[in-house]
Amino acid sequence: MLLRMPARPLRTGSTVAARRIATVSGGSVAVPQERHLVHLQFRRFAGCPVCHLHLRAVVRRHAEIEAARVREVVVFHSPAEELRRHTAGLPFAVVADPGKRLYAEFGVESAPRALLSPRVWGPVVTAVLRGGWEVVRGRERLPAADQPGGRLGLPADFLIGPGGRILAVKYGEHAYDQWPVDELLELASAHRPAADGSPAG
């Protein structure tokens, strides 16, 4: 089946409708939020090695991200039951979107370059080696052999202000192409909302 390239309908200045999204922990998370920025990031499938390589960095620096008035919301295209096996203990909201409704709404799609780009090969090797060691130690699980949503998903990042306005956006060109934590913190510093929820500046 021919995969469409990302439509990329959203850009800086676009506005997203307010909603509450169910999380795999059984609660829900508001997007946008009144007094915080929301970093909405789209990952791939549950147990994806390169996704977890990136999320380890987010976990390590989560206190800094929270201090910058940013709330993390991470979306995967796997069922909630499968996701819970891989994301238990993560200190931020994790969302299951097996029907890819949010992916379609935000223009996040799949393409062969997710894994074929030479820029992703180094991170893939690192992720597989680290992930394999964690599996051996019993700290992580292997991803399911069958991935109904596919393995060619591209990541995407959206920084959303309290009013729903997209303050910054990145559509990844390959599977490990996302904002590093330092870049996220720089963006948050430029757009940090006031204590009453009003935008900076």
Side-chain angles (χ1 to χ4, degrees):
M1 181 178 69
L2 182 64
L3 297 172
R4 292 182 297 137
M5 293 306 206
R8 304 189 180 187
L10 300 180
R11 60 186 66 188
T12 300
S14 296
T15 301
V16 300
R19 83 279 311 273
R20 293 200 70 88
I21 307 173
T23 67
V24 298
S25 65
S28 65
V29 62
V31 178
Q33 296 192 8
E34 267 188 43
R35 300 179 184 277
H36 296 86
L37 303 173
V38 171
H39 176 208
L40 180 65
Q41 54 172 303
F42 289 82
R43 308 309 310 174
R44 288 152 40 86
F45 52 88
C48 162
V50 291
C51 300
H52 283 275
L53 182 65
H54 171 62
L55 291 180
R56 286 187 197 105
V58 175
V59 170
R60 284 195 303 270
R61 302 184 65 183
H62 190 246
E64 293 176 68
I65 295 170
E66 291 264 295
R69 301 182 67 81
V70 176
R71 295 293 179 263
E72 290 285 346
V73 179
V74 185
V75 184
F76 288 84
H77 59 69
S78 295
E81 182 178 354
E82 178 68 12
L83 260 182
R84 280 191 286 269
R85 294 163 50 88
H86 294 273
T87 60
L90 291 182
F92 40 74
V94 177
V95 173
D97 184 24
K100 291 191 173 182
R101 291 185 178 87
L102 288 171
Y103 287 78
E105 179 181 344
F106 282 80
V108 184
E109 296 187 19
S110 301
R113 70 178 184 278
L115 296 177
L116 294 179
S117 170
R119 291 175 293 172
V120 79
W121 296 345
V124 165
V125 171
T126 300
V128 169
L129 290 175
R130 289 187 183 178
W133 176 238
E134 294 299 314
V135 169
V136 169
R137 298 173 71 188
R139 295 185 176 182
E140 292 186 7
R141 297 172 179 267
L142 289 171
D146 181 34
Q147 295 294 338
R151 296 177 179 269
L152 298 178
L154 291 161
D157 296 270
F158 300 85
L159 188 65
I160 303 172
R165 181 172 176 266
I166 295 178
L167 304 173
V169 59
K170 178 181 179 66
Y171 287 93
E173 293 295 329
H174 56 75
Y176 198 67
D177 186 19
Q178 67 270 312
W179 289 331
V181 174
D182 283 338
E183 186 170 355
L184 170 65
L185 293 175
E186 288 175 10
L187 290 166
S189 178
H191 297 287
R192 186 171 301 168
D196 64 359
S198 59

